[in-house]
Every structure is written in C-alpha cells, then in structure tokens.
Amino acid sequence: MKRKYNPTKIEEKWQKCWEDEKTFKVGEDTAKEKYYLLEMFPYPSGRIHMGHVRNYTIGDVVARYKKMCGYNVLHPIGWDSFGMPAENAAIEHGIPPAKWTNENIDSMKKQLKKMGFSYDWDREISTCEPEYYRWEQLFFLWMYEKGLAYKKGGSVNWCPTCKTVLANEQVEAGLCWRCNSEVTEKYFDQWFFRITDYVEELLDYCDKLPGWPERVLTMQKNWIGKSYGCELVFPMADSDDVIKVFTTRQDTIYGATFMLIAAEHPLVMELAEGKPVEQYVRAFVERVKKQDKMVRTSDYYEKEGIFLDAWCLNPVTDKKMPIYAANFVLADYGTGCVMAVPTHDQRDFEFAEKYGLEKIVVIQNPDDPLEADTMTEAYVDEGILVNSGKFDGMKNLQALEDIAEYLESIGRGRKTIEYRLRDWGISRQRYWGSPIPIINCEKCGAVPVPEKDLPVVLPKDVELTGAGGSPLEMIDSFIHVTCPNCGGAAKRETDTMDTFVESSWYFDRFCCADCSEKPGLDRAKVDYWMPVDQYIGGIEHAILHLLYARFYTKMLRDFGVIGVDEPFSNLLTQGMVCKETMRCAKHGYLLPEEVKDGKCINCGLEATIGKTEKMSKSLKNVVDPNYIIDEYGADTARIFCLFAAPPERDLEWSDQGVDGSFRFLGRVWRIVMDYLDDIRDVAPFDGRGELEGALKNLRKKTHQTVKKVTTDIEERFHFNTAISAVMELVNTLYQTGRPERDDRKALSVIRETVEDIIILLSPIVPHMTEELWDMIGGERRLSETAWPSYDEAVTAEEEITIVIQVNGKVRSRIQVAADESDEKIKELALSDEKIRQFLGDKDVVKEIYVPKKLVNIVVK
C-alpha cells in the first residue's frame, strides 16, 4: 500500500533527526571554502510572522544549496533582545523585561525549528545577556580612550508628564504616545560615537560593494551627504557677531536678500531676547518643535516664519538682510542657518511671496528673460549671471570657483566640504539596554569603569511603572559606587546604549559565540568566517543599521580585533509580504478567519475587500504561520513564499497559491511513490548507451533543469523560476511512458530524474525531500549529498524554434537544426509558406536577424 504524504509526521521526524545529529553544526575547516549566510536577526516579539518566514526561507535555501555544493556553511541565529517593547510589556502587564524577553525567545525558537531552518543552534546568542554586552562595554571604553566616544549636549523629545525622553517614533502629532501630553524639546548631555571620523571611508567604500543593491548604496551616500561648497560669513548689522552659512550655491550670493534660521536653533532666542517680538518668537519656536521634521521640510508643507527684529549684511553687497526663524530649516543640517535667494530656490520664493520680501534675479534665463516682479516661481536652471558685480556675464556654474576664491580674498568665506552625517547619539534614558560603563564623580568627572569590573550588569529586579525617569536612578545598589580614581562617592551613568549598538557587531560574535576571553572575539575564527558572504534583510534597514554596522566594523578593525574593512560582501533586501484587507461597517478591519462566505462572522454584515497592504496587526491582514504549518506543513509555507515572487519583490499572499503549492508537493510525492518499488535498487543512468524517444527527451529535460535551477539559485536567487523549471520536469516525467520492470536502462533514466527532482527541491522543501531520499535508498542523508551536475552536451537542443516577423509582427515559426547556418535559416524563413503569403509581391527592404532566435523581414 502506497504511503500518503503526511507533512506533520515527516517534518517532526526530520527536525528531530537534524537536531539529534547536529547536522548543521559547523566549525572552521581550512580545507573547504567558507560561506557565511546571515539573515538579520529578529527581535523576540513572541511570534514569528510571514515576513520572518519569507526572509529566513530565502536564506535557508541558499545555505542548504551552498552546503550541498561543498562549502563550509555558517548559518547562525540569535536574538536582538534589548528594546522598548519589553519595557512596555513590563509596564502594561507587570512582567519583568528579562522574563518577557526570554519567554518570547523560547516561543519563537520553537516556531523557527518547526520551519526546518538549517541553523547552527550551538551559536545562538541573545544580546540582552551579560555574556554578550560585556564586550561592547569593553569596546566603549576603548572608544572613550581614543575620543571616539564622548558626551555633549543635545536636544531630545521630552514628555513633562512622564518625565522621560521619547524616541521620535513615540511622538505622535506632537503628543506623547503614552499619555497624550504635549512633547517639548529639552537639552541633555548625551553620549555619542564619532562616526564622522570615518565619513570619507564610509563614503568611498560605497563604490567597493558591487554585491549591494544600487538603491541601498544611493541611500547611504545620500545619508552621508557630502557637499562641496563654501562657508559664508554674514556680519550682523548692529554688532561684531557673524552668522555662518554653508552653501553649495555661492553663485547666487548676490541674490541673497534675507536670512533663515532653524526655529530650534539657540541663536533664534538669543536674537529675539529682550525685544517686543520675544514672546511671539518663543511661541513660534515651541509650535515648530512639535512639528514632524520630515513633514515640515517637505515641498508641500506650508512655509512659515517670524521676523526676529534683527539684521545681517550680505557679504558681497553689504546690503541689510532681515533675519527670520523658519519652520523648513533644520538645526542639524549645515550650520542651521540658510541664506535665502528667493528668485532661484522655490522654498525661498514661497517664503518671500508670503512675507513680502525682496527678490533679485542673479541668474538670467537666456531664452526667456526674467523680471523679479513678474516671476511666478523660482528659476532653478542654469543661466548667465546678472546683478552679480564683476561676475556679470559668466555662466553661473562656471563662476562657482571664481566666486569662492573672491569670498576668501575678502575674508567673507572659505571653500569647504560639508556632510549631512552627524555623530551617532547612543544615549537612551531607558532601562532595557546595555549600561554605559561610566562612573560620574563630582571631583574627577566622567571616569571609565575599570576593565576588570566589566560587565556592568543591568539589574533585573526592577519595577517599571511608567511614571517617568530611568528606573536605574532609583536603584541604590546600582547607582551608588566608589570612584575608581579618587575613591570618593560617585554615581553610575544611568543612560543605556542604543540597541543599534548590539546589532552592529553580532555577526562577528557568531563566528565565536562561546569565546569568553578578551575581547570576546577570537581573531582566528573571525578571520576565517568574516566577512558575511550573503546578508539578507528588509530595505527599512538600508541606512541606520547597515551604516552603523559598517562603522563598527572599521572601528574594530582599527583596534586590531578583526581584519576586514566591510562586514557584508553581498546584500539582498527582500520585499514585503502583502495581503488584501477586509473590513465591515460595524467591526472595522477583520482577520481572515473572521470572514466566511464574504460576511463578517461577528455581525453578518458584508465584508468589503480593501487595498492590498503590507501584513500588519493593525490592519488585521495577517496570516499566522502556525496555521499554515498545521494545515499544510512547513514545506508548503516555504515553497509558496519562494514561488509567489522573486525575493526582491513584494509577495502578495494568495490562499489559492498556498493550495497550489501543497498540491504540487503531493504530485511529487505520488510520482515517487509510483516508481518507488521499480527504482529502489536501480542505479541512475551513467550516460553509457544510446537513448531514444521519450527517454532521451526526459534525460535532456533533466539535465536542462539541473542547469536552470543551478543558475537561478547561484546567480540570481530567482527561486520562483527554479521551482517552475522543476514543475516542468515533473510534468515531463508524468508524460514519459512507464517502462517495463525488466528494462533496467529505462528505469535507470527514471532513477536519475527522480533523484535530481528530489535534490533540486531539497533546499526549498527539505523535510519531504529528505523522506523521499531515504525511501529511494539514498547513500547518505540528503542534506549531506552533493548538488547534481549536468552534462552540457545533453542539455543542447537538437532543434530550435525561429520566430519570423514581418515588419515587427510575428507571422510564423519554424523548427531548424540547432547547428544550422545563419544563411540557411534566413533562406528557410523567406521560403516559409505563411511568410510567402504575407509578402506577396511586396519588396523586401532588409532582413534583421537575431542569431538562432528571430528573423524580422522589413517590407515596403
């Protein structure tokens, strides 16, 4: 009796087998070429979602494939386990963050194991454990000693009710997400990493990462934001003070008619102090601080400002320029001050129109002369300088260098380079993070914790109430210490590190997760494994995480801890998993299981189908991976995620697609069962002897499929087309006539095809294929079996199809020998009966020939 496909039983069997045999445990082996495959490690939220399933399945296919190709594959997993959700859960449910986090890790670990991912679980790390963060505390001390870590004043979002600092994402419409109080801006001393010391190398190496998507590299370059320009000096009209401005457009300096300063810039209140406008300026500043920075600087947002009752002088004309605070200028870009040239910058133009400020044309349009009074928008194209003193008549871009030199000669400017990138602020006034290893002494100032006293362990017996302030300040046993320098009373630093710090070096730690010797990284092991050969994660991490990881790598290199310049050789940013939304008039958004026969099961009202959006809890358009695993098996979830779309594209969820994937696996299972008794003791075809007809075609299709799947995985990660190729091969096998049981040659061809189908599918659906491999009598575990090779001669087509067009439209197709000459192919195309009918007595102008593919006959 033939066995039925039972995914639950099969998957449990092989997951236990892989775990018991430690199939994917790996160590250094200089005899093999290494391959380090890593997906961005998860935050332990408690449940995996379909985005996790897709991301980790993509990585698992590559890891398994590379292992079968003979590589020594490192494929680790761990937990990015510090972060705010644990604090929020503690406040809401009274659960200690450590307990909440570890329970979630246990839950997610079980879920990931049910997916059959080929992780080396012996390398598992959790960043909230002292065994991990003790080493980043050590790195902090090294950075502090070298001046790469420092403390300075900086602005933060402050909730006066909660008495706590808020991250940008916790400020909603200017209000605290927790208590709805108005959020203010407050200045605190904060810790920073001097990432700007590496700015040029970070930028230069963007051109040395050919395995990264161009989109990501462009985003990184733009974030670094290197600009060549001038720092201009605008003297104050009534004092010896000056305002410095960075600009890349010194060619427009003669048209600067007013000055704009970011509303949150300290200079704004200094200039307004003691003047009748002070109270109005203060109110404006407070209002602007509540506006989202990204929104207020966008093109569509209304430009607002307030006159500060202060004036400066244009550095080349000495004309007085009014000074305004403005909502669309940011304090942390450039100097926070902008010279406004309304005729040649659209935002400045709108501002000048609104407040009735002077406009002077300094770049003339040679094709359509401009008049300042009649302009309806700024002129932002190239042109000829006018009203620009001795530079009149020059092309504006060609005058940039001359004007810069002139400004330097009169002491009103200098050529310089400006970067958008700012130092990395790592201070977080929160509990659930790595303590910063600094002791504050009134006599000695900031004193590093001695290395011998590391780690500074985060206390776990902490009550989080949400009342505001850092809980660490309330724990006497933590905060009160002795100064290592003078022996006097001192206090620990209560800020914790940004959680991006943990994710900036975890990939190094995976190379030697059990290393307990300083500095927590075994140089020989790290040198063997690093850099990561393939990194996989979402596009949302394209800037901060990846930039910080690159910086941290260069920093550790300079301390001699590691030997690589960049952490990730190749990067894949996978698309999102999306699904249509459903909602009813009474209950709003509905979960998929709340809809039956187009009706809301809660009230019976019609459920309307909405837009297809990224799966999210708020939209309720989520599918629980556990449901898919229980209903269809992990292998079905895996193959659907890979078949539905290329990895870099968004995947649109389809219940029909899941059903179809399950049916295909059942089809593979049945055909192997059909041939099982006949081929179990038969060796695969060795290529000796002639084949004819269907068997010859089957073997050709088998070798073509091996080539196609190998190319699709190796070169493009296009698993969808690889799966499609295997589906075609399965169809061909079904169409091949069943040979007699005593026809050993025919059965050997069938055996070769069955083996290759199983192996080609094994990285994608490892459980079912491991079971089938065992049933047909594979010599060793499938996961230890070599990837199949193909014979190029066997893959060659004996005949090829030539498409024939007339004036670019397909009119016929012909079959020709694969080795037919080009001239003969063109002759056959012209003599084809269908083509002769289309041509009639028309004159042939020319023939366009694409070798071995197409003939296009152009006629009058």
Side-chain angles (χ1 to χ4, degrees):
M1 182 177 177
K2 295 175 183 176
R3 284 179 50 189
K4 291 185 177 180
Y5 176 43
N6 184 337
T8 301
K9 186 176 179 180
I10 292 169
E11 289 170 5
E12 289 175 352
K13 170 186 173 180
W14 288 106
Q15 287 162 15
K16 185 177 187 304
C17 178
W18 296 329
E19 185 169 356
D20 291 346
E21 296 179 0
K22 292 190 176 293
T23 302
F24 305 108
K25 182 177 174 62
V26 67
E28 297 70 42
D29 184 351
T30 55
K32 286 185 174 182
E33 186 175 353
K34 69 93 179 178
Y35 192 85
Y36 186 177
L37 187 287
L38 183 64
E39 306 97 4
M40 294 180 185
F41 65 164
Y43 179 79
S45 59
R47 300 180 70 85
I48 66 170
H49 51 68
M50 291 310 302
H52 288 130
V53 171
R54 188 186 191 201
N55 185 17
Y56 301 146
T57 300
I58 290 168
D60 196 54
V61 171
V62 180
R64 287 176 176 272
Y65 165 77
K66 289 292 184 180
K67 180 178 173 64
M68 298 178 83
C69 288
Y71 286 86
N72 193 33
V73 176
L74 174 58
H75 187 205
I77 187 67
W79 311 98
D80 190 10
S81 46
F82 273 138
M84 287 189 61
E87 286 195 47
N88 297 340
I91 294 168
E92 186 175 352
H93 304 295
I95 304 173
K99 184 175 186 293
W100 184 85
T101 298
N102 289 325
E103 288 178 352
N104 285 351
I105 288 174
D106 290 342
S107 175
M108 291 181 70
K109 187 173 180 178
K110 290 175 184 175
Q111 291 176 292
L112 291 178
K113 286 189 173 183
K114 287 180 72 174
M115 287 300 303
F117 297 134
S118 59
Y119 295 131
D120 180 354
W121 283 101
D122 287 353
R123 295 175 183 265
E124 181 184 10
I125 60 175
S126 177
T127 61
C128 70
E129 298 299 330
E131 293 78 14
Y132 182 85
Y133 64 73
R134 67 173 297 181
W135 303 117
E136 70 188 43
Q137 291 178 347
L138 175 66
F139 303 149
F140 180 97
L141 296 181
W142 290 354
M143 295 172 75
Y144 181 72
E145 183 181 351
K146 292 290 186 181
L148 290 172
Y150 66 95
K151 200 171 192 180
K152 72 168 186 177
S155 63
V156 295
N157 301 311
W158 177 257
C159 174
T161 302
C162 296
K163 295 182 173 60
T164 190
V165 172
L166 302 176
N168 287 336
E169 60 269 21
Q170 293 177 305
V171 181
E172 301 172 352
L175 303 178
C176 172
W177 69 285
R178 183 181 291 139
C179 70
N180 287 323
S181 297
E182 283 195 1
V183 174
T184 62
E185 192 170 74
K186 198 169 184 178
Y187 279 80
F188 277 99
D189 283 342
Q190 298 188 85
W191 287 97
F192 291 83
F193 284 162
R194 208 178 297 275
I195 190 175
T196 51
D197 276 14
Y198 288 84
V199 64
E200 276 297 330
E201 187 180 355
L202 289 168
L203 185 60
D204 290 345
Y205 269 79
C206 285
D207 295 324
K208 300 176 184 179
L209 295 169
W212 283 42
E214 190 60 38
R215 176 187 177 191
V216 174
L217 293 173
T218 299
M219 293 168 74
Q220 293 232 333
K221 289 177 182 179
N222 291 341
W223 190 262
I224 293 169
K226 184 176 183 178
S227 300
Y228 295 90
C230 279
E231 184 182 76
L232 307 182
V233 177
F234 289 75
M236 293 297 295
D238 56 357
S239 73
D240 294 332
D241 294 332
V242 298
I243 295 176
K244 293 183 177 181
V245 169
F246 173 79
T247 182
T248 60
R249 295 299 309 275
Q250 61 268 23
D251 56 320
T252 64
I253 180 63
Y254 285 86
T257 57
F258 55 96
M259 176 67 65
L260 298 173
I261 305 177
E264 61 269 41
H265 198 295
L267 183 59
V268 168
M269 293 313 303
E270 288 180 23
L271 293 176
E273 186 177 7
K275 299 176 180 176
V277 296
E278 181 179 2
Q279 61 176 320
Y280 303 108
V281 172
R282 189 178 304 279
F284 174 79
V285 169
E286 292 303 317
R287 181 163 59 83
V288 171
K289 284 181 179 180
K290 297 171 187 174
Q291 297 172 355
D292 184 279
K293 289 183 179 181
M294 293 295 291
V295 172
R296 80 186 215 213
T297 57
S298 61
D299 291 338
Y300 66 83
Y301 201 74
E302 183 182 1
K303 311 300 178 287
E304 293 184 280
I306 188 169
F307 179 47
L308 301 181
D309 197 11
W311 303 77
C312 62
L313 302 178
N314 184 300
V316 290
T317 66
D318 281 334
K319 289 183 64 175
K320 290 179 68 175
M321 299 168 50
I323 304 173
Y324 282 75
N327 68 337
F328 61 96
V329 180
L330 297 180
D332 56 1
Y333 185 72
T335 65
C337 305
V338 175
M339 69 172 195
V341 185
T343 48
H344 305 294
D345 181 278
Q346 185 59 31
R347 296 191 304 177
D348 297 347
F349 181 89
E350 293 171 17
F351 193 91
E353 286 283 290
K354 182 172 183 175
Y355 294 101
L357 300 170
E358 183 182 13
K359 297 190 289 287
I360 300 173
V361 174
V362 291
I363 301 175
Q364 190 56 263
N365 181 350
D367 300 320
D368 186 13
L370 304 169
E371 294 288 341
D373 293 340
T374 59
M375 292 176 69
T376 58
E377 62 182 359
Y379 179 72
V380 295
D381 295 327
E382 297 177 30
I384 305 300
L385 289 180
V386 295
N387 300 318
S388 299
K390 63 179 182 178
F391 303 103
D392 281 357
M394 295 182 68
K395 292 183 178 180
N396 68 298
L397 296 184
Q398 293 179 0
L400 284 168
E401 187 69 16
D402 290 345
I403 293 175
E405 291 177 356
Y406 173 66
L407 286 163
E408 285 190 334
S409 71
I410 62 174
R412 294 287 177 89
R414 64 184 181 90
K415 288 183 282 186
T416 187
I417 298 172
E418 182 73 18
Y419 299 92
R420 182 177 180 227
L421 181 67
R422 293 293 181 261
D423 282 340
W424 175 9
I426 66 155
S427 282
R428 296 294 179 267
Q429 292 75 28
R430 298 193 288 268
Y431 161 68
W432 193 236
S434 172
I436 293 176
I438 291 290
I439 292 171
N440 297 304
C441 173
E442 288 190 6
K443 179 179 178 182
C444 306
V447 180
V449 171
E451 286 187 14
K452 65 180 179 61
D453 294 336
L454 296 180
V456 177
V457 178
L458 187 70
K460 294 187 177 180
D461 54 340
V462 176
E463 183 181 358
L464 300 179
T465 64
S470 171
L472 295 177
E473 295 177 350
M474 307 296 120
I475 304 174
D476 289 343
S477 60
F478 175 82
I479 194 169
H480 294 295
V481 292
T482 300
C483 174
N485 279 356
C486 69
K491 291 184 177 181
R492 285 197 190 279
E493 175 64 67
T494 56
D495 282 0
T496 54
M497 292 194 215
D498 180 8
T499 55
F500 274 121
V501 177
E502 283 82 58
S503 60
S504 292
W505 70 286
Y506 77 106
F507 38 85
D508 296 315
R509 181 66 176 172
F510 275 140
C511 299
C512 49
D514 59 350
C515 180
S516 59
E517 301 295 321
K518 175 183 175 181
L521 295 173
D522 184 316
R523 177 64 188 265
K525 292 182 178 180
V526 175
D527 283 351
Y528 176 82
W529 290 114
M530 287 296 290
V532 174
D533 295 283
Q534 183 64 59
Y535 198 39
I536 301 173
I539 191 69
E540 66 270 19
H541 300 293
I543 298 176
L544 295 184
H545 162 57
L546 291 173
L547 193 65
Y548 293 155
R550 295 180 61 215
F551 157 68
Y552 219 79
T553 296
K554 297 174 189 300
M555 177 272 293
L556 290 178
R557 175 205 62 194
D558 289 350
F559 280 117
V561 176
I562 61 176
V564 297
D565 297 315
E566 289 285 339
F568 315 119
S569 297
N570 297 284
L571 173 69
L572 171 67
T573 53
Q574 89 283 354
M576 299 180 295
V577 180
C578 306
K579 192 180 189 304
E580 63 188 14
T581 55
M582 301 285 287
R583 64 184 303 161
C584 83
K586 184 175 181 180
H587 292 96
Y589 287 113
L590 302 172
L591 292 166
E593 56 267 29
E594 293 179 303
V595 180
K596 186 175 182 180
D597 298 327
K599 306 284 187 181
C600 171
I601 65 172
N602 303 306
C603 64
L605 293 177
E606 183 179 353
T608 58
I609 299 175
K611 293 193 301 182
T612 295
E613 306 264 13
K614 176 186 176 182
M615 283 189 180
S616 70
K617 292 179 182 178
S618 60
L619 297 176
K620 293 189 175 183
N621 61 337
V622 293
V623 175
D624 186 353
N626 285 337
Y627 166 76
I628 301 299
I629 294 171
D630 294 341
E631 191 75 12
Y632 298 97
D635 281 343
T636 295
R638 292 171 63 114
I639 196 170
F640 169 74
C641 284
L642 298 169
F643 184 59
E648 70 278 5
R649 300 277 298 277
D650 288 348
L651 181 156
E652 186 170 338
W653 186 265
S654 164
D655 293 336
Q656 294 78 11
V658 176
D659 285 332
S661 298
F662 182 71
R663 288 197 302 272
F664 169 67
L665 296 186
R667 199 159 186 256
V668 172
W669 179 271
R670 287 191 299 275
I671 199 166
V672 176
M673 291 299 102
D674 286 346
Y675 281 112
L676 184 60
D677 292 338
D678 295 342
I679 67 173
R680 183 183 281 114
D681 299 321
V682 176
F685 186 67
D686 58 8
R688 290 182 292 184
E690 291 294 322
L691 297 175
E692 295 180 351
L695 288 175
K696 184 176 182 179
N697 181 61
L698 176 62
R699 188 161 193 258
K700 180 199 300 181
K701 187 67 172 177
T702 299
H703 282 249
Q704 289 175 337
T705 304
V706 173
K707 180 179 180 180
K708 169 70 172 170
V709 173
T710 302
T711 301
D712 283 349
I713 295 178
E714 184 72 43
E715 297 180 6
R716 306 187 302 158
F717 290 176
H718 278 198
F719 312 114
N720 57 325
T721 54
I723 294 167
S724 181
V726 179
M727 289 177 171
E728 291 181 15
L729 178 58
V730 171
N731 288 339
T732 303
L733 179 57
Y734 266 103
Q735 293 161 7
T736 302
R738 191 181 189 92
E740 296 295 330
R741 288 196 169 188
D742 59 353
D743 189 344
R744 305 290 286 184
K745 180 190 286 187
L747 291 175
S748 70
V749 175
I750 300 293
R751 171 81 189 207
E752 180 185 23
T753 298
V754 168
E755 281 194 4
D756 284 351
I757 288 172
I758 293 172
I759 297 174
L760 294 177
L761 285 175
S762 65
I764 298 163
V765 287
H767 307 90
M768 185 188 80
T769 51
E770 193 83 72
E771 180 73 6
L772 292 175
W773 187 255
D774 186 58
M775 293 172 70
I776 67 171
E779 291 183 7
R780 58 174 65 87
R781 295 283 189 232
L782 180 56
S783 49
E784 304 291 344
T785 300
W787 189 255
S789 58
Y790 57 88
D791 186 332
E792 193 71 60
V794 176
T795 66
E797 292 283 1
E798 295 178 2
E799 285 192 338
I800 56 176
T801 300
I802 301 296
V803 174
I804 310 175
Q805 297 177 337
V806 177
N807 288 347
K809 293 185 177 181
V810 176
R811 298 301 186 187
S812 187
R813 290 178 174 83
I814 57 174
Q815 298 294 122
V816 301
D819 58 355
E820 189 66 83
S821 70
D822 293 345
E823 290 303 317
K824 183 64 175 178
I825 290 173
K826 287 188 278 187
E827 180 184 324
L828 290 170
L830 286 168
S831 62
D832 179 74
E833 185 64 31
K834 292 181 181 178
I835 296 302
R836 290 174 60 187
Q837 292 177 11
F838 273 107
L839 295 180
D841 57 357
K842 298 174 184 174
D843 293 332
V844 176
V845 178
K846 61 179 178 179
E847 301 158 18
I848 301 172
Y849 176 60
V850 180
K852 308 297 184 184
K853 292 184 178 180
L854 177 145
V855 178
N856 182 18
I857 303 167
V858 181
V859 298
K860 288 184 179 178

